[in-house]
Amino acid sequence: MKTMQTRSHNIKMRGGRVWLGVLIPLALVAIAAGLFLYIADVQRDDDDVQPEPKTLQVGKDYYLMVRTIELYPKRPGGETAWDRVDGSGPDIQFNLTWQGNVVFESQQKGDTLIGAWDALSLDVKAAVLKGKVDLAGSIDAAIISVEEDTEVTIEVWDNDLPGSDSAGAAIMKLEQFKPGDNTFTFDPTEKNAIKRIVVRVIDKALPITELVEEATRP
Ligand SMILES: [Ca+2]
Ligand SMILES: [Ca+2]
């Protein structure tokens, strides 16, 4: 009887080892398959979603394109019309200062409360895409490099001859910007009549076709 018991015990043990022998490879296959699916999923996510950086990256160069500037209906202080002689709207012009230097000055937009600028006219866009002119020389925007704690100042005026009427100056920290369109609004004060500024920020390192698309996107 004792021999029988031992043999039966041995058989059970052997049976257990056989099961382990089957289960361990199965478990390994399952883990490997899970890992593969996980990696495939991560890769697919990377392909599908290019997470747009929420802020600008220190050390990179960007184009700053002022797309729109809207002024309040009266000059700073809120009482005096922009052009008293003929009652016309302001002739809006601005410049952009970075690190104590004016790095961009715009064209004037005449008799309007909303000035809108294009970074690249459509004929220049065509010429750039054909390689006939280079983009850097054609794009109507400031180029800045992002550092910690840097800011830009946009100074706006109504261009009159002679002289001009200040509309105010907006100081913006670069950490407030994100890639794409950035809208800033301002209250009227004794020194400010700027109501709204829209600045488009484009990564200068984008491939040229994407850069052109971004610069000409409405
Ligand atoms: Ca004026
Ligand atoms: Ca005018």
Side-chain angles (χ1 to χ4, degrees):
M1 276 305 279
K2 198 176 179 192
T3 325
M4 283 291 284
Q5 268 177 355
T6 311
R7 196 178 297 152
S8 130
H9 183 69
N10 281 346
I11 287 166
K12 270 187 200 155
M13 283 288 286
R14 222 175 287 137
R17 283 204 194 100
V18 168
W19 271 109
L20 273 182
V22 172
L23 280 177
I24 289 174
L26 274 179
L28 286 176
V29 166
I31 289 169
L35 198 62
F36 173 77
L37 286 175
Y38 173 73
I39 290 169
D41 198 38
V42 167
Q43 281 174 347
R44 193 165 52 240
D45 282 354
D46 280 355
D47 288 347
D48 285 354
V49 187
Q50 289 284 351
E52 183 112 322
K54 291 244 165 59
T55 54
L56 307 189
Q57 289 171 274
V58 170
K60 287 189 75 171
D61 295 346
Y62 293 91
Y63 286 111
L64 292 193
M65 300 162 32
V66 175
R67 301 274 300 160
T68 308
I69 293 179
E70 180 176 0
L71 301 184
Y72 284 103
K74 297 282 175 68
R75 278 156 63 175
E79 286 175 11
T80 318
W82 287 106
D83 283 343
R84 276 176 296 178
V85 177
D86 60 1
S88 71
D91 306 286
I92 305 176
Q93 197 169 6
F94 71 90
N95 66 25
L96 189 146
T97 299
W98 175 53
Q99 295 186 328
N101 293 267
V102 174
V103 295
F104 182 79
E105 185 165 305
S106 76
Q107 302 285 315
Q108 171 188 309
K109 297 291 174 182
D111 295 338
T112 182
L113 287 173
I114 301 178
W117 290 265
D118 293 320
L120 209 57
S121 62
L122 290 180
D123 52 338
V124 177
K125 174 184 177 178
V128 168
L129 289 177
K130 284 179 190 157
K132 287 184 176 168
V133 295
D134 93 300
L135 181 66
S138 316
I139 200 159
D140 224 4
I143 303 176
I144 55 96
S145 165
V146 177
E147 291 163 25
E148 302 280 1
D149 284 333
T150 43
E151 58 192 26
V152 293
T153 303
I154 294 175
E155 188 187 0
V156 187
W157 62 90
D158 164 23
N159 199 16
D160 289 327
L161 282 176
S164 57
D165 301 316
S166 170
I171 300 172
M172 299 148 168
K173 291 198 173 299
L174 287 179
E175 64 212 37
Q176 294 178 284
F177 287 94
K178 59 181 181 359
D181 286 346
N182 299 261
T183 301
F184 301 89
T185 53
F186 308 91
D187 292 328
T189 68
E190 285 300 311
K191 287 192 169 175
N192 179 62
I194 303 171
K195 187 174 185 183
R196 176 169 61 106
I197 298 182
V198 182
V199 183
R200 182 171 296 173
V201 180
I202 304 176
D203 182 350
K204 191 174 172 294
L206 284 179
I208 196 149
T209 46
E210 285 180 43
L211 212 52
V212 167
E213 280 311 309
E214 275 296 297
T216 50
R217 188 166 52 81

